[in-house]
Amino acid sequence: RREQADALLRLCSEFGDRPLPPLALFDFGPAQIKTLDPIFHEVGDRPQKGMEMSETKQLQRRLTKERRAAGRQLLRDAAVVQQMQVQQDNERRSKRTVERKRVRGLMEAEDKMLKQLKTESGGGMDTSLKRYSAKKEQKQANRRVGGNATDETKKEAKSNGGAKAKKGGKRKG
C-alpha cells in the first residue's frame, strides 16, 4: 500500500506542474456542409438489377408480371371465343337462309300448281260451259244508264213527257 500511495503522489506532482486544458463536452471540428458530388459509373461497374432487390420485392414483381401475362392470355382467349361464336352465328344464319329459300321454292311451286289446276278444271274461260262472271245476268237485268238513272227511271221520264227535271248531278252557278 505504501508503494501505491507513493506512485499517486508522484503522478499528482507531475500534473500539478503543468496547466490543465479547459473542459469541453465534445471535441469535434466545426460542422461541414454536405455536398453532392456526381457519381459516374462505367458500363461494367453497375451491379445487376436483381442484386439490389430484396427477395420480397422480386416475388412481388414476378407476381405482377404473371398477373399481367394471365390478363393478356384471358383477353386472347375471349377474342378466340368471340370469333368462334361469330362463325357459328354465320353458319346458323346461312343454314336458315338456305332453308327459307327451299321452303319458298316449295310454296311457289305449290301455288303455281294450284293455279294451273284451277285453270284446267271447271271450264275456266270457256263461256259455253259456264258464264265467266256470276253477276253478269244481274247486271244485264238492272242496267244503269248514267248518274242515278236506270232503265226504269228512263222509261218513267219518257212516259211523263220529260216534265221532270233531272235530279242529282252538279249545279251550275
Side-chain angles (χ1 to χ4, degrees), residues 12-79:
C12 286
S13 64
E14 285 177 22
F15 281 119
D17 294 342
R18 62 180 172 177
L20 294 174
L23 295 175
L25 186 58
F26 297 108
D27 193 21
F28 295 119
Q32 297 291 321
I33 298 173
K34 291 184 179 180
T35 59
L36 297 176
D37 293 329
I39 300 172
F40 297 102
H41 292 288
E42 295 293 325
V43 177
D45 292 345
R46 285 185 59 201
Q48 294 179 358
K49 280 192 173 181
M51 298 296 284
E52 72 265 5
M53 283 196 295
S54 67
E55 185 179 353
T56 57
K57 201 74 162 173
Q58 288 174 353
L59 288 174
Q60 285 176 345
R61 287 218 176 142
R62 202 168 88 200
L63 176 70
T64 55
K65 281 182 183 179
E66 288 178 8
R67 187 181 296 134
R68 287 177 184 160
R72 284 191 295 269
Q73 189 64 37
L74 284 174
L75 287 174
R76 285 189 207 113
D77 292 347

Side-chain angles (χ1 to χ4, degrees), residues 154-165:
K154 190 175 180 183
K155 290 176 186 173
E156 288 176 12
K158 283 185 181 179
S159 64
N160 289 340
K164 284 188 176 179

